[in-house]
């Protein structure tokens, strides 16, 4: 038989000698007369400190504690459990990750509550222990107030004009979408759109996804590289919501069959934020993706990016070169632009003419000439580059190399006395050589212009407040080839894994840090490129010459307690053994 929480509390406190027989008798008598939970009564009578009680219960029951007073819960998560259910069972939903709903409960052994929540939400329930007092405060804040605290703050910003659309709006009054336009201009749709935007900014997300399905609309935010569910609007409001975004972005609200791209800018309090918008037609309606770019965010110094010593020093040395090309590669959202901004910040001086070509300008710098591409009027990367070369630049940063014309001008600029910085979409550093060749660049031009390729990822940092040590399986250590790294470190490091707490939104991670792989183009590498050797041979040579791979540099961070093994295995691939000969 499962014992009640009351009996477990009594057993634990008696075992720990935190309660005398006289105090126990008095508490039980008070509970019989007035009712209520025994734990609350013990705290009210000052027999046990509330923090001590929660800590003891957590340790004995092996259920993590949580402090709700320092936690902000997503309104969409709150909406998953009705008000009367939360009040009846004395609980508050905290977060939803995948199909697991984390719930703060004063009685985490209430099996009936757990079963009801599982049936009601369709999720697996993960309980955490919260004090009755903090749960009651959270209930008042989230259920009794006019909406959640987050929504109230966002609504206040909207109503006070702190959130202001800076881009001009277009109306298509003569189109067949007149009805959509009228609905999209209604106050409720305008406020809903602004709240979605402001919530994305508050969460420090990089993207907002608005996805229509047959009976629902999903709003998701990408936070620290992982998608998180937000508050989902009613299905019927989706056309008006997309229409509103199109109006802000100066897109054609009458066009529903073709993809459209646009952008707009808002001002939230004292911050200016750009949104890059992509809308595509899907089976159940139009899906929108909004990339968030904070203009007010300052560039990191090159040391703050978090790279290991070897790629960091290679990047610094390459940035001091008078000419040549430095490429940063990786998938979308890997932090490539932030790295280039950090390099510009490091080398900027009064005796250098620095010019950037970007689509769009993500951060603004004093002393650096920045040009925004506008393809709708013919101002393309290639056209701007041709003009920039007549502006006597020392350093040119190109936001992204997208086509053969742009790469041709960039390489010629690198060969004629300019330092060129740019980004490219490849999976690792050595694959960049093959990518350039596929774009039509001759091997002799690649070998003559390329100085450094930095492959980059952003990995999540373990929350330092709740990470917990663990001992990895010896078979995992062997499969990851960790023994050489362990031997080189000279001591047995501690490995940590995520746990989750109120400070990190119960994810176990908080913030991200850069992970880099630096492929330095030495004279020997130039000779290999000229010979047209396969990419696998280039990579083999680079690794033998001392290039640390993404996985190796990631494992070094694991051994310093910065991130987890599962995060590195999620973002990096296994490397082939260092055997065989270079062709």
């Amino acid at each position: 038989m499962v014992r009640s929480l009351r009996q477990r509390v009594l057993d634990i406190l008696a075992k720990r000698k935190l309660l005398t027989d006289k105090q126990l008798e008095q508490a039980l008598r008070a509970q019989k007369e007035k009712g209520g939970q025994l734990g609350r009564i013990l705290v009210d009578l000052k027999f046990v400190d509330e923090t001590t009680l929660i800590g003891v219960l957590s340790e004995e029951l092996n259920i993590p504690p949580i402090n709700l007073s320092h936690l902000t819960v997503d309104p969409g998560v709150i909406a998953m459990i009705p008000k009367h259910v939360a009040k009846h069972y004395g609980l508050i939903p905290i977060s939803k990750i995948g199909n697991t709903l984390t719930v703060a409960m004063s009685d985490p052994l209430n099996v009936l509550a757990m079963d009801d929540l599982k049936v009601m939400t369709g999720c697996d329930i993960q309980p955490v222990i919260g004090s009755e007092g903090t749960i009651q405060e959270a209930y008042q804040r989230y259920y009794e107030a006019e909406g959640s605290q987050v929504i109230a703050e966002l609504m206040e910003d909207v109503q006070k004009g702190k959130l202001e659309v800076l881009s001009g709006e277009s109306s298509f009054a003569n189109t067949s979408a007149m009805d959509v336009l009228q609905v999209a201009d209604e106050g409720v749709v305008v406020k809903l759109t602004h709240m979605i935007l402001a919530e994305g900014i508050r969460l420090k997300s990089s993207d907002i996804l608005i996805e229509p399905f047959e009976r629902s609309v999903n709003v998701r935010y990408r936070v620290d590289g992982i998608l998180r569910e937000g508050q989902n609007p009613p299905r019927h409001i989706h056309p008006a919501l997309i229409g509103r975004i199109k109006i802000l972005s100066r897109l054609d609200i009458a066009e529903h069959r073709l993809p459209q791209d646009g952008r707009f800018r808002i001002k939230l309090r004292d911050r200016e934020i750009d949104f890059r918008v992509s809308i595509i037609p899907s089976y159940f309606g139009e899906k929108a993706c909004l990339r968030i770019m904070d203009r007010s965010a300052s560039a990191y110094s090159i040391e703050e990016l978090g790279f290991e010593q070897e790629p960091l020093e290679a990047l610094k040395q390459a940035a001091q070169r008078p000419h040549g090309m430095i490429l940063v590669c990786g998938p979308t959202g890997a932090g490539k632009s932030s790295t280039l901004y950090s390099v510009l910040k490091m080398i900027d001086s009064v005796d250098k003419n620095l010019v950037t070509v970007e689509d769009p300008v993500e951060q603004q710098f004093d002393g650096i000439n920045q040009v925004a591409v506008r393809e709708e009027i013919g101002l393309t990367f290639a056209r701007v580059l041709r003009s920039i070369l007549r502006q006597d630049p020392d350093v040119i940063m190109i936001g992204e190399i997208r086509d053969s014309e742009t790469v041709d001008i960039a390489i010629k600029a690198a060969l004629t006395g300019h330092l060129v910085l740019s980004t490219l979409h490849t999976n690792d550093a050595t694959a960049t050589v093959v990518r350039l060749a596929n774009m039509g660049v001759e091997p002799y031009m690649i070998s003559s212009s390329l100085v450094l390729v930095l492959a980059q990822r952003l990995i999540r940092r373990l929350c330092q407040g709740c990470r917990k040590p663990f001992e990895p399986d010896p078979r995992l250590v062997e499969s990851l080839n960790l023994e050489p790294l362990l031997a080189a470190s000279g001591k047995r490091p501690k490995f940590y894994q995520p746990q989750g707490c109120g400070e990190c939104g119960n994810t176990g991670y908080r913030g991200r840090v850069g992970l880099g792989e630096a492929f330095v183009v030495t004279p020997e590498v130039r000779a290999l490129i000229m010979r047209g050797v396969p990419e696998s041979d280039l990579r083999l040579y680079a690794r033998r010459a001392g290039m640390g791979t993404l996985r190796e540099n990631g494992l070094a961070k694991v051994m310093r307690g910065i991130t987890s093994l599962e995060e590195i295995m999620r973002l990096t691939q296994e490397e082939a053994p260092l055997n065989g000969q270079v062709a």
Side-chain angles (χ1 to χ4, degrees), residues 37-284:
Q37 290 191 1
L38 182 61
R40 183 77 257 167
I41 293 172
L42 292 172
V43 172
D44 290 342
L45 292 173
K46 298 183 179 180
F47 292 162
V48 181
D49 177 74
E50 187 171 42
T51 303
T52 302
L53 179 62
I54 294 295
V56 169
L57 288 174
S58 172
E59 185 177 341
E60 290 288 337
L61 303 178
N62 197 27
I63 298 175
I66 192 166
N67 186 351
L68 291 172
S69 60
H70 301 303
L71 184 66
T72 300
V73 183
D74 191 296
V77 176
I78 292 292
M80 294 183 68
I81 297 180
K83 175 181 176 179
H84 69 279
V85 175
K87 183 177 183 179
H88 176 71
Y89 287 122
L91 53 84
I92 292 291
I94 300 300
S95 67
K96 181 177 180 291
I97 301 175
N99 196 46
T100 300
L101 179 66
T102 301
V103 179
M105 309 173 68
S106 56
D107 182 359
L109 298 181
N110 190 331
V111 179
L112 291 177
M114 303 273 279
D115 289 343
D116 283 354
L117 292 180
K118 186 169 184 178
V119 172
M120 184 182 306
T121 64
C123 296
D124 296 326
I125 306 301
Q126 174 66 49
V128 293
I129 299 180
S131 69
E132 186 178 350
T134 58
I135 288 177
Q136 183 61 31
E137 289 173 4
Y139 175 84
Q140 294 291 332
R141 185 162 73 245
Y142 291 111
Y143 286 102
E144 295 294 347
E146 289 294 327
S148 72
Q149 183 182 20
V150 175
I151 288 185
E153 291 174 354
L154 299 181
M155 286 294 292
E156 183 181 358
D157 288 342
V158 172
Q159 292 166 356
K160 290 183 178 180
K162 292 181 180 179
L163 192 155
E164 173 188 1
V165 178
L166 299 181
S167 61
E169 297 185 6
S170 297
S171 65
F172 297 88
N174 297 322
T175 69
S176 60
M178 185 65 184
D179 292 340
V180 174
L181 179 62
Q182 289 175 345
V183 175
D185 278 332
E186 289 183 358
V188 63
V189 177
V190 172
K191 290 178 181 179
L192 174 62
T193 306
H194 287 183
M195 288 195 311
I196 290 173
L197 301 181
E199 178 70 354
I201 297 167
R202 185 190 71 82
L203 291 172
K204 298 181 180 179
S205 59
S206 60
D207 300 270
I208 303 174
L209 301 182
I210 302 174
E211 304 164 307
F213 296 98
E214 186 175 10
R215 295 183 177 86
S216 64
V217 179
N218 287 359
V219 176
R220 296 192 290 172
Y221 304 92
R222 189 174 293 279
V223 182
D224 291 340
I226 303 297
L227 285 171
R228 180 186 300 182
E229 287 188 328
Q231 186 174 19
N232 297 330
R235 179 64 179 88
H236 70 271
I237 210 169
H238 171 258
L241 179 60
I242 296 298
R244 182 63 190 170
I245 293 171
K246 287 182 177 181
I247 291 172
L248 297 179
S249 309
R250 301 185 179 185
L251 300 178
D252 185 353
I253 63 170
E255 179 57 71
H256 306 291
R257 301 166 301 171
L258 298 174
Q260 295 189 72
D261 295 318
R263 62 175 60 89
F264 63 91
R265 187 190 311 169
I266 69 171
K267 185 174 183 179
L268 179 60
R269 297 178 181 171
D270 297 325
R271 299 167 60 191
E272 288 190 10
I273 297 100
D274 281 325
F275 286 82
R276 188 163 56 192
V277 178
S278 173
I279 296 178
I280 61 171
S282 68
Y283 190 78
F284 292 109

Side-chain angles (χ1 to χ4, degrees), residues 57 89 146 172 197 212 234 277 281 325 346 394 440 447 454 496 503:
L57 288 174
Y89 287 122
E146 289 294 327
F172 297 88
L197 301 181
V277 178
M325 178 180 283
M346 181 186 74
D394 296 298
S447 64
L454 179 74
Y496 294 89
E503 296 297 321

Side-chain angles (χ1 to χ4, degrees), residues 440-498:
V441 184
E442 295 293 337
Y444 75 91
M445 296 186 73
I446 299 175
S447 64
S448 301
S449 61
L450 202 56
V451 172
L452 173 78
V453 181
L454 179 74
Q456 180 170 333
R457 301 289 188 275
L458 286 178
I459 58 171
R460 293 182 294 170
R461 289 179 179 271
L462 281 168
C463 175
Q464 299 299 299
C466 67
R467 64 176 187 175
K468 60 180 181 180
F470 85 109
E471 191 65 33
D473 190 301
R475 290 172 295 181
L476 181 61
V477 172
E478 183 180 356
S479 67
L480 292 173
N481 197 28
L482 279 172
E483 286 300 341
L485 293 173
L486 295 173
S489 67
K491 59 181 180 179
R492 192 74 182 181
K494 276 189 177 181
F495 291 88
Y496 294 89
Q497 61 185 9

